[in-house]
């Protein structure tokens, strides 16, 4: 979606270099590199929420991913209303197969499907849902089928629900009876007898005549915390295992929409799940080479569920709100300032009305209402909605983002009144602002300067670039002013080919380069307060953007090498930065050796992170200066692969993952040999 601003040379093709050579120092030809970690001079505190998650519904991350509803287009409300559905055995068996909109299940959920079968027609009559690139079912697992039905003329008294395999084999069957001439909800549990990645759901009518169906849901019982509308367990577990400091949601460009009418509106995503209406996903046709016309947002995973997820995984919620701007890579539509409205007249009449371009005040009010939804007492109007959904206690929201990846004067003029209004009502709310899509250049400089003048708390910087860029910019924040806004490194990922290229891969070259860059984030924890890799999730059969941190199909998932790098940082973030000196000056990155260190006062440990971006092993001798009493052994976590192109996959999910070992410590010195192309975290007890 973006033109890369530079095309640096591809990462050097490094020769495969024998077996990994990590571990305690052995006989080396080169003299060890001497580093000093000043344990007795602890620096800035590391934000306890420093490393977090960036969630966006891109790559079928929500429907077809984290949100495990198996039926696609369950309410027939998408623009092409039969997306995901087909008539069983062809239309010949069905006299009518139509989507109608009279007397629907609810005022918002207007469309439903009407099926009419002919007496004597051969074969099964009914309909079939394909799921999200199939439906993943597991042997012995239970799935709750629910739907609304209303009987018309004829004898259709019920149906038979079948979870069916690709060869037509039934994996679970259940009859549903008792249809009446009024809409009624029916629920039945199907237990699968086999495991399949690409099953589908058939609903076979019993009898002939007419029947209306709507809100057809097939939901696994095995969800995170066993919740009825809960999330996919393996994916939540991967997120939780990272001990993320924050969860940014719902994006990303999805916040903005291609047009303002397609923007993300959080109020449309709460309350009764059956009443949440789908919206086209802005990634649907964004990339011609990865077009996914069936990509909608069902909002089954809505703002309540995001807050709940953040709470479940121990992350601070960080919602990002639309600032009255549609995506500037698309229409760039702007909400008029203040209470004016371009269509539909002044505020009283036009703002928020169908067909009107809502004014900025509408967006600001949405933000204020969101804070009340998250934090207000159950007696407040929006707090009551949260309580009614099952969470009377506040979600304790402390931060919000105003605008996603916006830029230019239009952003700054909207940001200012927006931030003022939020601060006026909620003075302690921390606000995240945007520096735009590029980490440098005129627009970036202007935004950074102005946001500094406006005393913004966090400025969100994004960098998608070749792996080289990450290593070359490991000292980026060494040069930043120590006063002014904190930096939120809100979206970053090394791109193996080019930004937005479908050929990008989650290689070790990308991940190790990110690890090198992150030594600079950690070293500058007084400037950088939060960081998150992006995007987070991708369905192997339905992605639009690559690389991504976690990949999955309908049954399994795995973390890329970048996932493990993020996790190693998050689990070893410590409490305070410790200064590191190396030959060639204090600058890191000397000869492709990168280092940072922290004290972990909670654990009483000293933690040193080292990246050896070299096809040779490298011995280091680390002086833990001023340490009073160190343990005799330390613990090492190492990710290493001589082959920089190494990737994980569904078949080899942990081909490259951290390996644990121990090493000896002698006095205040530790000697260690870094493996070729490795990221190493060394932990030594000794602070207490
Ligand atoms: O992470 C993918 C996209 O990259 C995000 O939606 C957007 O903010 C950025 O351009």
């Amino acid at each position: 979606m973006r033109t890369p601003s530079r095309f640096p040379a591809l990462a050097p093709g490094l020769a495969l270099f024998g077996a990994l050579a990590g571990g305690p120092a052995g006989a080396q030809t080169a003299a060890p590199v001497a580093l000093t970690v000043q344990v007795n001079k602890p620096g800035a505190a590391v934000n306890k929420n420093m490393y977090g998650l960036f969630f966006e519904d891109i790559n079928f991350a929500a429907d077809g991913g984290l949100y495990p509803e198996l039926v696609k287009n369950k309410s027939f409300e998408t623009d092409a209303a039969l997306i995901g559905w087909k008539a069983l055995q062809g239309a010949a068996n069905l006299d009518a197969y139509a989507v109608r909109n009279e007397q629907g299940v609810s005022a918002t959920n207007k469309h439903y499907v009407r099926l009419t079968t002919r007496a004597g027609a051969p074969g099964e009559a009914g309909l079939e849902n394909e799921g999200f690139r199939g439906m993943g079912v597991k042997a012995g697992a239970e799935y709750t089928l629910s739907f609304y039905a209303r009987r018309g003329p004829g004898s259709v008294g019920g149906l038979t629900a079948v979870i069916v395999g690709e060869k037509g084999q039934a994996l679970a069957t259940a009859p549903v009876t008792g249809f009446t001439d009024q809409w009624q909800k029916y629920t039945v549990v199907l237990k699968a007898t086999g495991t399949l990645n690409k099953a589908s759901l058939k609903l076979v009518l019993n009898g002939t005549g007419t029947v209306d169906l709507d809100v057809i849901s097939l939901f696994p019982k095995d969800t995170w915390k066993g919740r009825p509308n809960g999330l996919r367990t393996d994916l939540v577990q991967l997120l939780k295992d990272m001990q993320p400091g924050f969860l940014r949601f719902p994006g990303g460009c999805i916040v903005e929409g291609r047009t303002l009418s397609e923007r993300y509106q959080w109020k449309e995503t709460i309350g009764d799940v059956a009443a949440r209406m789908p919206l086209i996903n802005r990634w649907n046709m964004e990339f011609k080479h990865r077009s996914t016309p069936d990509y909608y947002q069902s909002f089954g995973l809505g703002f309540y569920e995001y807050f709940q997820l953040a709470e479940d995984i121990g992350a601070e919620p960080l919602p990002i709100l639309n600032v009255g701007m549609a995506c500037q890579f698309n229409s760039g539509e702007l909400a008029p300032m203040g209470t004016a409205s371009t269509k539909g007249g002044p505020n009283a009449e036009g703002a928020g009305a169908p067909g009107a371009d809502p004014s900025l005040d509408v967006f600001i009010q949405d933000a204020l209402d969101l804070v009340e939804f998250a934090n207000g007492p159950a007696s407040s109007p929006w707090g009551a909605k949260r309580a009614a959904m099952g969470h009377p206690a506040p979600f304790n929201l402390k931060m919000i983002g105003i605008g996603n990846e916006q830029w230019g004067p239009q952003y700054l003029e909207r940001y200012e009144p927006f931030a003022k209004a939020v601060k006026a009502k909620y003075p302690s709310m921390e606000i995240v602002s945007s520096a735009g899509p590029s980490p440098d250049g005129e627009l970036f400089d202007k935004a950074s300067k102005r946001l500094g003048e406006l005393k913004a708390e966090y400025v969100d910087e994004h960098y998608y670039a070749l792996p080289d860029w990450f290593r070359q910019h490991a000292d980026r924040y060494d040069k930043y002013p120590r006063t002014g806004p904190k930096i939120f490194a809100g979206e970053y990922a090394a791109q193996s080919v080019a930004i937005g290229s479908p050929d990008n891969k989650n290689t070790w070259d990308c991940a190790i380069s990110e690890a090198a860059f992150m030594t600079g984030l950690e070293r500058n924890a007084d400037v950088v307060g939060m960081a998150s890799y992006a995007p987070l999730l991708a369905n192997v059969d339905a992605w639009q953007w690559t690389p991504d941190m976690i990949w999955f199909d309908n049954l399994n998932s795995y973390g890329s090498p970048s996932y493990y790098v993020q996790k190693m940082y998050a689990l070893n973030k410590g409490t305070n930065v410790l200064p590191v000196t190396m030959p060639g000056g204090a600058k890191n990155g000397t000869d492709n050796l990168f280092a940072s260190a922290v004290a972990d006062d909670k654990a009483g440990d000293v933690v040193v992170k080292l990246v050896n971006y070299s096809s040779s092993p490298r011995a280091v001798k680390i002086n833990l200066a001023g340490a009073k009493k160190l343990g005799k052994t330390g613990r090492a976590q190492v990710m290493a692969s001589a082959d920089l192109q190494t990737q994980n996959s569904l078949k080899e999910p942990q081909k490259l993952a951290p390996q644990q070992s121990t090493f000896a410590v002698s006095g205040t010195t530790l000697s260690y040999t870094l493996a070729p192309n490795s990221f190493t975290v060394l932990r030594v007890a000794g602070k207490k």
Side-chain angles (χ1 to χ4, degrees), residues 273-576:
V273 180
R276 300 179 199 174
M277 289 303 100
L279 178 69
I280 195 163
N281 187 300
R282 57 96 62 239
W283 296 106
N284 171 304
M285 311 279 264
E286 185 74 35
F287 294 122
K288 288 201 172 51
H289 53 268
R290 295 292 303 176
S291 181
T292 47
D294 59 335
Y295 197 1
Y296 281 73
Q297 304 171 77
S298 76
F299 297 124
L301 171 57
F303 258 45
Y304 177 84
E305 290 78 17
Y306 283 126
F307 279 115
Q308 200 172 42
L309 172 63
E311 186 173 79
D312 286 353
I313 61 178
E316 292 291 344
L318 171 49
I320 305 289
L321 297 169
N322 191 303
V323 64
M325 299 175 79
C327 185
Q328 290 162 282
F329 292 113
N330 301 125
S331 72
E333 280 177 6
L334 296 171
M337 300 293 293
T339 56
S341 183
T342 52
K343 295 176 217 161
N347 186 43
E349 291 274 89
D357 279 346
S359 68
L360 185 63
D361 281 9
V362 173
F363 292 77
I364 294 174
Q365 192 56 49
D366 274 356
L368 300 177
D369 292 343
L370 178 66
V371 181
E372 185 176 293
F373 175 72
N375 294 351
S379 54
S380 64
W382 287 100
K385 292 185 197 292
R386 180 195 71 238
M389 291 183 75
H391 203 289
F395 281 119
N396 205 11
L397 175 67
K398 300 186 189 101
M399 308 180 278
I400 60 167
I402 299 182
N404 173 43
E405 195 182 56
Q406 322 299 160
W407 67 84
Q410 298 90 344
Y411 172 59
L412 294 169
E413 71 178 357
R414 282 166 180 73
Y415 169 81
E416 197 175 338
F418 203 128
K420 252 188 208 153
V422 172
K423 279 287 182 190
K425 188 151 187 200
Y426 299 106
S428 63
M429 189 61 56
E430 290 196 301
I431 293 177
V432 173
S433 56
S434 163
S438 177
D440 45 34
E442 199 187 330
L443 287 170
F444 173 85
D445 292 342
K446 280 191 177 157
S448 302
K449 183 167 175 287
R450 183 68 187 135
L451 291 166
E453 288 162 2
L454 292 172
K455 305 219 174 313
E457 275 138 338
Y458 276 100
V459 177
D460 179 11
E461 298 187 353
H462 295 177
Y463 8 84
Y464 295 100
L466 291 174
D468 282 8
W469 184 94
F470 283 84
R471 298 191 309 281
Q472 285 159 10
H473 290 79
D475 62 351
R476 175 183 175 88
Y477 295 109
D478 295 350
K479 304 164 193 157
Y480 261 52
R482 291 358 245 182
T483 52
K486 290 241 184 207
I487 300 304
F488 171 29
E491 292 186 32
Y492 62 91
Q495 315 281 298
S496 63
V497 177
I499 300 173
S501 167
D503 299 324
N504 285 331
K505 303 278 184 243
N506 278 100
T507 63
W508 178 227
D509 192 27
C510 291
I512 191 174
S513 301
E514 290 150 8
F517 181 78
M518 290 172 79
T519 59
L521 302 185
E522 180 170 281
R523 191 172 50 250
N524 292 288
D526 55 331
V527 172
V528 182
M530 293 189 289
S532 46
Y533 180 99
L536 182 61
L537 295 172
N539 182 317
V540 294
D541 292 326
W543 57 271
Q544 295 77 47
W545 178 292
T546 179
D548 302 286
M549 195 159 88
I550 293 168
W551 290 82
F552 57 87
D553 66 9
N554 288 332
L555 291 174
N556 298 301
S557 49
Y558 71 92
S560 67
S562 294
Y563 168 80
Y564 289 107
V565 164
Q566 294 293 319
K567 185 174 167 185
M568 281 167 76
Y569 268 94
L571 269 55
N572 293 288
K573 64 181 174 296
T575 49
N576 285 85

Side-chain angles (χ1 to χ4, degrees), residues 13-67:
L14 295 177
L16 300 189
F17 191 85
L20 303 184
Q28 293 296 314
T29 45
V33 181
L35 291 93
T36 300
V37 175
Q38 289 173 307
V39 179
N40 53 351
K41 291 191 183 155
V46 180
N47 180 4
K48 67 179 173 38
N49 304 315
M50 173 95 168
Y51 303 104
L53 301 171
F54 163 96
F55 180 89
E56 176 168 24
D57 187 4
I58 182 172
N59 304 317
F60 281 56
D63 301 305
L66 191 57
Y67 183 67

